[in-house]
Amino acid sequence: MSILRRSLRGLSPIEARIDLQLLHDSWRHSPGSILAQFAALLMLGWMVRDWPMAHWKWVLPAFGHLTVWATVAMLVRHFHRFGITESGYGRWRTRLLIWHTLEGTMWGLIAVALLAVATPEWRMTIVAALIVYGYTVMLVTIHDWAVAFMGSVPVVLLVAGRLANEHNSSSSFLALVLVVSLLTCMGVSLSVNRRLREAVLLRHENAGLVLQLREEINKVTEAKARAEAADRLKGEFFAAASHDLRQPLHVMMLLSSALKPWIHQDEGQSLLRKLQTALGSLGAMFEQMFFVARVDAQRVDYRAEALPLAEMWARLDSEFSILCASQGLQWRLDPSSEWVQTDGYVLERILRNLLNNAVRYTEHGEVRLRARKRGPWVICQVWDTGVGIQRQHRHRIFDDYFQARNDGRLSSEGLGLGLAVVRRLSLLGPTPVTVLSRLGRGSCFSVRVPRLIPASLVEVTPAASSTKPPAPAKAQAAAQAMARTGRGVVVLVEDDPQVRDSTSLVLQQHGWQVAGAATPDEAVAEVAAMQDDGRMPEGDMPAALVSDHRLGLSINGLDAIRQLRYEFGDELPAFLLTGEASEGLTDEAAQARVQLLKKPIEAERLLQMLADSTAPATDAADAA
């Protein structure tokens, strides 16, 4: 198995050099953990000295620890004197794996001995310590999946087997939690290990390119392209690693919340809170690590300034009045005296692309450009009476190279990058773009920009009326559904079955009904099935939407929320769960009226936000 590689045969020179360097790093840094483990062993011996158990049951594994550590110390001394050659790679690799396997086995034997006589509160402490131990081993040896595996599996399997043999529901549940944590931990470690190896390989390749560039100036263009590709891969790696590392933490926090009903003693509840605090600290550490990576990757080139729309309107009028006339279309421009705070180049490029798109897909009728005031915003709109957009294509029209009416990929129809450019430009600043369309009737693209209000034009706004406006019909329907079915129905879109099941379990424990699915279409079908079998009154709407951002599909979480709001109502509260919240995603979620929640999230916070978001609908139903 390549993961447990004990030979450099069959590898390229770069790969062999990488593996040898990783082995050097392991022997150089891993022995530092021995001091911490020795201190933990001394503290453990002092704590259990009066426990009603035969001392040899934990003294023998402790003596085994000391023997292993003494042997490792001698090997480390030899390593520092002579290093590791390519011919000695197999021996030192085998020694490393044996070292960590024995270390994990000794800790497992100590834990099994302690569980036999431990009180319930100490059992929870031991389980919590093992979970933290497993994640710590993964973090310390994340560059070497085999070491993480051999160091974690023995201790977790020994303790899980001991708990399972007790044949009671509480111990069996703890054994299941340990096994699930081991599987998720190993899966994340393997994924990150592969990406780290790819990144290191790319780094060595780029280093070779730099040396080559010093000798061959004529290859500068090629080297630049490869460097840009490496930068993109680096960004994808950090984004994927951020999500993968947060995902198991998110599951563990949900499972720890679901564990509460199983623990009735006050001491157990206190230990469970400490476990949740430890998991929260681990999540905060991950967040700090990847926050630095996001800051390094962000590049913002958006310069907002005060601009009169009249000047931009004049330029667009002179261009598109002639273009529409040549196509036999009517050009309509509504004058505007508004001032906006935006980047003029970005806004004009967005509008020009939208107008070109409107002219291209309008065979007869008119193309219209206008601006409308909406409080602190100005909505710039491009209308047309063209062919419209099919419903199934609305969430894809801004994708690269997508053309709903050019299946043959005719070059005369362009490359399908017009709206993709609009999407990219809109993400540079507070200029979100939305679309409304009817097939055969036309489309309306809207661009929202901040409105600049001169101080001389600011009016004193009268106090708001205390009378609340009536709630939308769909919000009232959701409130009525909640009144009849308890807390109401939450639509959950999550493609990871483990996360979906954990979230559903927590929500159901607190009175919510859950329509869980991996895709928006499946979620709609699940709501319909709930209405058919009587779990949800026919005609009622869900109370809220919860979606993961990375769905593994051609759409993301925001697209899924837009699709579900189209089905269940635009005013439906929505929450987006993500482990890689960037500045652009935060702004996009705010513009879509979606609350962004970063993984891992505590179950209590999610439940509280659901309750707060549905409270206005309940008030509206009471008033009705």
Side-chain angles (χ1 to χ4, degrees):
M1 183 175 180
S2 60
I3 294 298
L4 300 176
R5 185 182 303 280
R6 291 183 294 173
S7 173
L8 299 178
R9 296 177 182 176
L11 297 180
S12 66
I14 293 179
E15 291 177 324
R17 188 163 60 250
I18 291 174
D19 279 5
L20 189 60
Q21 181 62 47
L22 290 177
L23 185 61
H24 272 86
D25 293 341
S26 295
W27 279 102
R28 184 177 293 110
H29 301 297
S30 296
S33 64
I34 293 179
L35 292 178
Q37 294 188 68
F38 180 72
L41 187 63
L42 291 178
M43 183 179 298
L44 181 63
W46 179 82
M47 294 174 62
V48 304
R49 67 186 187 281
D50 297 328
W51 282 28
M53 60 179 292
H55 291 302
W56 65 268
K57 291 185 177 180
W58 67 269
V59 170
L60 285 180
F63 181 76
H65 265 306
L66 296 177
T67 303
V68 171
W69 293 337
T71 304
V72 169
M74 291 188 294
L75 290 174
V76 169
R77 181 181 179 184
H78 186 275
F79 162 75
H80 284 297
R81 291 184 62 186
F82 303 104
I84 303 175
T85 63
E86 291 188 8
S87 60
Y89 175 87
R91 296 192 304 273
W92 284 95
R93 175 71 171 166
T94 302
R95 292 167 181 171
L96 182 67
L97 296 175
I98 294 175
W99 163 25
H100 286 278
T101 302
L102 292 176
E103 202 169 63
T105 303
M106 297 304 170
W107 282 119
L109 292 175
I110 292 176
V112 168
L114 296 179
L115 284 174
V117 296
T119 60
E121 55 270 19
W122 274 106
R123 292 168 70 88
M124 289 298 300
T125 301
I126 293 172
V127 171
L130 290 176
I131 293 176
V132 174
Y133 175 81
Y135 275 93
T136 302
V137 170
M138 183 191 74
L139 286 175
V140 173
T141 61
I142 198 169
H143 63 283
D144 195 329
W145 184 87
V147 173
F149 180 85
M150 301 304 292
S152 300
V153 169
V155 62
V156 174
L157 290 185
L158 284 172
V159 175
R162 174 66 177 81
L163 292 171
N165 286 333
E166 294 181 1
H167 303 294
N168 63 72
S169 58
S170 178
S171 298
S172 298
F173 185 80
L174 290 178
L176 177 62
V177 170
L178 281 175
V179 173
V180 170
S181 68
L182 171 66
L183 293 178
T184 56
C185 180
M186 291 299 101
V188 170
S189 178
L190 179 59
S191 177
V192 175
N193 176 265
R194 288 175 176 171
R195 292 189 175 94
L196 280 173
R197 184 178 178 83
E198 293 172 359
V200 172
L201 183 60
L202 282 174
R203 186 181 66 186
H204 280 73
E205 290 179 352
N206 287 339
L209 285 175
V210 171
L211 294 176
Q212 184 178 359
L213 285 173
R214 293 177 181 176
E215 301 175 356
E216 303 178 18
I217 302 300
N218 60 336
K219 295 184 179 181
V220 171
T221 303
E222 178 184 356
K224 179 181 178 182
R226 297 191 64 178
E228 292 174 349
D231 288 340
R232 287 194 299 270
L233 183 59
K234 176 183 176 182
E236 294 174 0
F237 159 71
F238 278 114
S242 173
H243 178 271
D244 290 343
L245 287 173
R246 287 189 179 95
Q247 196 82 332
L249 282 176
H250 181 60
V251 173
M252 292 301 299
M253 294 185 74
L254 292 175
L255 289 177
S256 65
S257 178
L259 188 62
K260 285 184 177 180
W262 295 83
I263 301 177
H264 305 290
Q265 298 89 349
D266 293 339
E267 295 83 0
Q269 290 288 340
S270 175
L271 290 171
L272 184 59
R273 285 192 295 270
K274 292 179 181 179
L275 172 61
Q276 292 175 326
T277 301
L279 290 174
S281 299
L282 190 59
M285 180 178 64
F286 285 160
E287 183 62 32
Q288 292 175 354
M289 292 169 53
F290 290 104
F291 175 76
V292 174
R294 290 198 303 270
V295 170
D296 292 341
Q298 286 176 353
R299 297 179 181 179
V300 178
D301 187 16
Y302 183 87
R303 300 180 178 86
E305 58 181 347
L307 294 173
L309 286 182
E311 296 180 0
M312 187 180 302
W313 258 225
R315 291 192 296 270
L316 295 174
D317 182 38
S318 61
E319 177 179 347
F320 285 94
S321 60
I322 299 175
L323 182 59
C324 288
S326 65
Q327 300 290 331
L329 302 175
Q330 180 182 354
W331 166 251
R332 183 176 174 184
L333 178 72
D334 295 0
S336 176
S337 59
E338 296 296 331
W339 284 68
V340 294
Q341 184 77 16
T342 188
D343 187 309
Y345 171 80
V346 171
L347 179 60
E348 186 168 345
R349 180 68 181 271
I350 289 175
L351 293 176
R352 180 172 283 107
N353 281 18
L354 293 176
L355 288 169
N356 277 318
N357 214 54
V359 172
R360 173 175 296 174
Y361 294 106
T362 302
E363 298 179 357
H364 54 80
E366 70 174 13
V367 174
R368 180 184 181 186
L369 174 63
R370 70 173 182 176
R372 307 176 67 181
K373 294 186 295 184
R374 288 293 183 270
W377 308 98
V378 172
I379 311 298
C380 302
Q381 295 181 326
V382 175
W383 292 76
D384 66 67
T385 57
V387 296
I389 305 170
Q390 297 181 19
R391 176 181 169 186
Q392 64 269 26
H393 293 155
R394 291 176 194 168
H395 64 281
R396 297 187 57 197
I397 58 174
F398 293 99
D399 292 346
D400 294 348
Y401 309 112
F402 178 76
Q403 292 176 296
R405 297 181 176 274
N406 188 17
D407 296 334
R409 306 304 302 171
L410 299 177
S411 59
S412 59
E413 295 295 328
L415 297 176
L417 291 176
L419 293 181
V421 172
V422 169
R423 171 176 57 83
R424 287 177 169 81
L425 293 175
S426 68
L427 294 177
L428 294 178
T431 54
V433 179
T434 58
V435 59
L436 296 173
S437 182
R438 283 189 178 183
L439 193 62
R441 299 281 298 276
S443 304
C444 173
F445 287 84
S446 301
V447 185
R448 190 181 71 179
V449 292
R451 180 187 176 205
L452 188 62
I453 307 177
S456 59
L457 299 180
V458 176
E459 299 179 356
V460 179
T461 304
S465 171
S466 61
T467 303
K468 296 182 179 179
K474 291 183 178 179
Q476 290 183 0
Q480 293 168 2
M482 291 171 61
R484 289 192 292 268
T485 62
R487 298 298 297 274
V489 175
V490 175
V491 177
L492 173 63
V493 181
E494 170 61 69
D495 62 332
D496 189 322
Q498 191 177 47
V499 179
R500 185 169 66 245
D501 294 343
S502 302
T503 308
S504 300
L505 175 62
V506 171
L507 294 177
Q508 290 167 354
Q509 283 182 343
H510 291 79
W512 293 96
Q513 295 190 73
V514 181
T519 66
D521 293 335
E522 293 177 3
V524 173
E526 177 63 18
V527 172
M530 294 177 68
Q531 293 178 344
D532 292 339
D533 59 22
R535 288 177 291 163
M536 179 179 180
E538 186 175 356
D540 285 347
M541 293 294 175
L545 305 175
V546 179
S547 176
D548 186 31
H549 183 55
R550 290 181 58 181
L551 296 177
L553 305 171
S554 59
I555 63 174
N556 56 33
L558 285 177
D559 296 328
I561 289 174
R562 294 188 187 101
Q563 183 176 341
L564 291 172
R565 276 180 168 172
Y566 182 86
E567 298 288 343
F568 301 125
D570 292 336
E571 303 301 323
L572 202 57
F575 301 88
L576 184 67
L577 297 175
T578 180
E580 46 178 307
S582 61
E583 182 178 346
L585 179 60
T586 302
D587 295 339
E588 191 175 358
Q591 293 159 6
R593 296 175 291 108
V594 174
Q595 297 193 53
L596 191 64
L597 304 178
K598 294 183 180 180
K599 294 180 181 178
I601 182 174
E602 296 180 354
E604 289 76 8
R605 184 185 174 208
L606 176 60
L607 293 166
Q608 184 62 48
M609 297 189 75
L610 280 172
D612 293 343
S613 66
T614 55
T618 306
D619 295 341
D622 294 340

